């Protein structure tokens, strides 16, 4: 099995590339969806957040006010670290569980769409790592347009993350999303060819069918050895 890591920065266009993978029929595990699920009302993640941040971050129906919580953690580095520390185990397990289900269904190429791929050290479990990069000017303009925030607010949110240029330097594959959607789609087609290529022997061994073959061969060998000893 090939587990592809997909990451980027805020307003870099990672979600666009993630959608392109889905449209191409490649299964995607979305860490943002996992994160939303682990903080649903009444869950362990929900209880951790309420205990740490108080009832002020709850909506009237008891759900977490994600916008309010986002404002808090983006302006306070310590609280952002606290939130990541509280939820990291829940989110990591959720991602692992989703990957495991796809593996059990026989998927040989899976994309893990994880915004904090490097921050959570999950890049060591993925290969290759794809970073969706965008130039700083375009990133700020897109963030201001998308969220209706000021330039200062946009810059603060960008500064709250690892530098996108650093992520770019650590990537195996870079998609430059600074241009048009057609430009991104053209780059994506080349990336799709790369990640959809033949599996290495190591990747084949950890795929579902590869492990089943090993188990069957080992079992057959043991039975044959026992028969010869009788």
């Amino acid at each position: 099995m090939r587990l592809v890591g997909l990451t980027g920065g805020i307003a870099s266009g990672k979600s666009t590339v993630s959608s392109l993978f889905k449209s191409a029929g490649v299964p995607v595990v979305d860490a943002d969806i996992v994160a939303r699920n682990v903080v649903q009302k009444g869950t362990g993640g929900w209880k951790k957040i309420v205990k740490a941040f108080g009832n002020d971050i709850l909506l009237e129906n008891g759900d977490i006010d994600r916008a309010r919580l986002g404002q808090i953690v983006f302006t306070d580095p310590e609280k952002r670290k606290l939130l990541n520390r509280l939820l990291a185990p829940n989110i990591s397990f959720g991602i692992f569980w989703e990957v495991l289900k796809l593996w059990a269904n026989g998927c040989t190429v899976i994309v893990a769409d994880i915004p904090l791929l490097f921050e959570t050290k999950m890049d060591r479990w993925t290969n290759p790592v794809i970073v969706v990069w965008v130039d700083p000017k375009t990133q700020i303009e897109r963030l201001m347009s998308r969220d209706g925030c000021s330039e200062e607010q946009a810059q603060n949110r960008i500064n709250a993350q690892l530098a996108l240029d650093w992520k770019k330097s650590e990537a195996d594959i870079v998609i430059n999303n600074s241009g048009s959607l057609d430009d991104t789609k053209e780059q994506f087609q080349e990336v799709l060819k790369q990640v959809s290529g033949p599996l290495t022997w190591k990747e084949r061994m950890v795929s579902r069918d590869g492990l089943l073959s090993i188990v069957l061969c080992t079992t057959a060998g043991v039975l044959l050895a026992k028969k010869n000893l009788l």
Side-chain angles (χ1 to χ4, degrees):
M1 182 191 74
R2 176 174 297 150
L3 184 58
V4 179
L6 175 65
T7 192
I10 189 169
S12 70
K14 176 184 61 62
S15 296
T16 298
V17 175
S18 182
S19 296
L20 291 173
F21 272 114
K22 293 174 186 175
S23 297
V26 180
V28 175
V29 175
D30 190 331
D32 283 338
I33 293 177
V34 172
R36 284 196 290 270
N37 290 337
V38 302
V39 297
Q40 288 183 346
K41 185 179 177 180
T43 62
W46 179 89
K47 292 176 182 177
K48 287 180 181 179
I49 292 178
V50 173
K51 183 178 180 179
F53 292 89
N55 292 328
D56 289 342
I57 50 89
L58 295 179
L59 296 170
E60 289 184 3
N61 63 2
D63 289 338
I64 290 173
D65 186 338
R66 295 172 60 86
R68 170 62 179 154
L69 183 60
Q71 288 176 347
I72 294 172
V73 299
F74 270 118
T75 56
D76 190 326
E78 291 305 315
K79 289 184 178 179
R80 184 168 62 252
K81 291 177 183 177
L82 172 61
L83 180 64
N84 290 337
R85 187 166 63 249
L86 290 174
L87 296 183
N90 304 68
I91 295 174
S92 296
F93 177 79
I95 292 171
F96 169 78
W97 182 245
E98 294 301 318
V99 170
L100 184 61
K101 288 191 290 185
L102 290 170
W103 174 88
N105 285 331
C107 297
T108 55
V109 178
I110 301 169
V111 173
D113 177 353
I114 308 175
L116 301 181
L117 183 73
F118 291 109
E119 292 88 335
T120 56
K121 310 298 183 186
M122 294 190 74
D123 57 298
R124 56 189 169 185
W125 303 111
T126 61
N127 185 41
V129 170
I130 301 172
V131 168
V132 182
W133 181 87
V134 66
D135 68 76
K137 181 176 182 291
T138 303
Q139 185 179 20
I140 289 180
E141 289 174 349
R142 287 178 180 173
L143 183 54
M144 291 170 62
S145 175
R146 188 191 74 182
D147 293 357
C149 58
S150 67
E151 183 174 352
E152 182 182 1
Q153 289 172 323
Q155 190 63 63
N156 287 339
R157 295 182 69 181
I158 291 171
N159 292 343
Q161 300 182 334
L162 278 179
L164 191 51
D165 281 342
W166 181 87
K167 292 183 180 182
K168 178 183 178 182
S169 70
E170 295 295 307
D172 299 302
I173 300 172
V174 176
I175 294 179
N176 185 344
N177 191 40
S178 302
S180 67
L181 179 58
D182 286 339
D183 290 337
T184 299
K185 286 182 176 179
E186 185 175 343
Q187 294 176 70
F188 172 77
Q189 289 304 319
E190 292 302 315
V191 172
L192 183 61
K193 291 177 184 178
Q194 287 182 257
V195 303
S196 302
L199 301 183
T200 65
W201 68 270
K202 288 184 179 179
E203 291 170 332
R204 288 197 297 271
M205 285 181 66
V206 297
S207 68
R208 184 198 65 178
D209 293 343
L211 286 177
L212 285 175
S213 297
I214 293 172
V215 170
L216 290 174
C217 290
T218 302
T219 302
V222 170
L223 292 175
L224 183 62
K226 285 185 175 180
K227 181 178 180 181
N228 292 333
L229 290 174
L230 296 177

